[in-house]
Amino acid sequence: MKMKLMFAVVFSLLFYVSIPANTASADDSIRPFKIAVAQQDLLDLRQRISATRWPDRETVGDTSQGAQLAQMQALMRHWATDYDWRKAEAQLNAWPQFVTTIDGVDIHFIWVRSPAPKALPMIMTHGWPGSVFEFVQVIGPLSDPVAHGGKAEDAFDLVIPSIPGYGFSGKPRGTGWDPDRLAQVWAQLMRRLGYQQYVAQGGDWGGPITGAMARQAPPGLRGIHLNLPATIPPEAGAALAVAGPAPADFTPQERATYDAVAKLIKQGNLAYSAMMAARPQTIGYGVTDSPVALAAFLLVHPGFSLWTYGADPQQLPTRDQVLDDITLYWLTNSGASSSRLYWENKGRSPLSSTAQKTSEISLPVAITVFPQDVYCPPESWARRAYRNLVYFRQAEKGGHFAAWEQPQLFTEELRTAFRSMR
């Protein structure tokens, strides 16, 4: 009898500890969150940077082989000596942050309620290699426009979550966390916060996630804004797949867009995404052990192609803002977990209208194209992809990280784009 009882106890303990910690609770509470990184973790980061074993110098005079050695060494010296994470930590902690558990995963989010009584709730989604840091400069102008020279009727309540596997959100312990599922989680988050009506915005991975929300059309979602829309038409996608010429019936603008995407692919500027889609765990071993490897890998993104590694102090994002983002990935050990989103998407192009099923979206869609982005679709493709396109504008400046690079312009675009959806 004692033996049977002992076996039962041991079996029950084994069963209990086999349940992943972030799936064991059905807690739907909304819990306040503050960032408080241990000083030892920051010391360890500096020591690892200082102990880096460097590769030999690239054999070309540009970035076609990746981040250049001299630029990286200068950036890493600053990271290891002068950079101050505590300023970034305080910047995020200045805004109300929370965590809630959905589908067994903790979702970290910034939640800023506007003083304006008729503010429009909006959920904003970052991408890779970005984070909630992308939106820090637009939180104030969007949530409190009167205090920033705007009008109260343009105010937003802001919900800015960290994608699971990124930043201070939890890391999924199983598969299936693709943009469709994330869209469902975001809709549940907005319901949990008590919002009956809201809009959504996204670029980079925020594009497919926000697009999936519009396709699923959860109750209360009024419409979306995208700054990296999925508009590549089927015939263009087919031609790009075989490295063929642009379809003959394309207009000059459409042909120029096609050629730009073909060049992007030919030059290997999207190779990082292929690696993450194929072997995210393999990437994790290097970027988890070496902060320099992590920084070099994040900086390979073509959205950083115009960034001067801090050489221009007026350029946004600044050197320290970029390091804020990279440090966030390091401290939260998000190198592998953030890469898995590419694997979960099963190689589907985030820019393809067919892959993203944009034809199924009936909600209002607004689009702003920023001219230095990795992809700048013409309005003709946008209207083909989204049958209820209510707003389209080619901005005069800005790139892939639009809110980071051009916060004032980005703010003005969202105010204008969503006026018809209030």
Side-chain angles (χ1 to χ4, degrees), residues 16-39:
Y16 175 78
V17 299
S18 71
I19 301 174
N22 61 359
T23 63
S25 172
D27 182 12
D28 62 357
S29 63
I30 298 167
R31 308 179 294 278
F33 181 85
K34 284 284 186 181
I35 304 166
V37 172
Q39 186 63 26

Side-chain angles (χ1 to χ4, degrees), residues 102-103 105-107 123 125-127 161-166 169-170 172 176-190 198 205-206 208-213 215-216 218 337-338 340-342 344-345:
I102 301 177
D103 283 2
V105 174
D106 284 346
I107 307 298
I123 184 167
T125 309
H126 66 84
S162 297
I163 297 172
Y166 289 68
S169 278
W177 286 83
D178 61 3
D180 282 359
R181 185 170 181 180
L182 291 169
Q184 295 168 358
V185 170
W186 276 194
Q188 186 173 345
L189 174 61
M190 295 303 279
Y198 62 95
W205 275 117
I209 294 168
T210 303
M213 291 184 74
R215 179 162 39 82
Q216 295 166 5
S337 57
S338 63
R340 293 190 188 111
L341 184 51
Y342 289 81
E344 291 284 3
N345 206 41

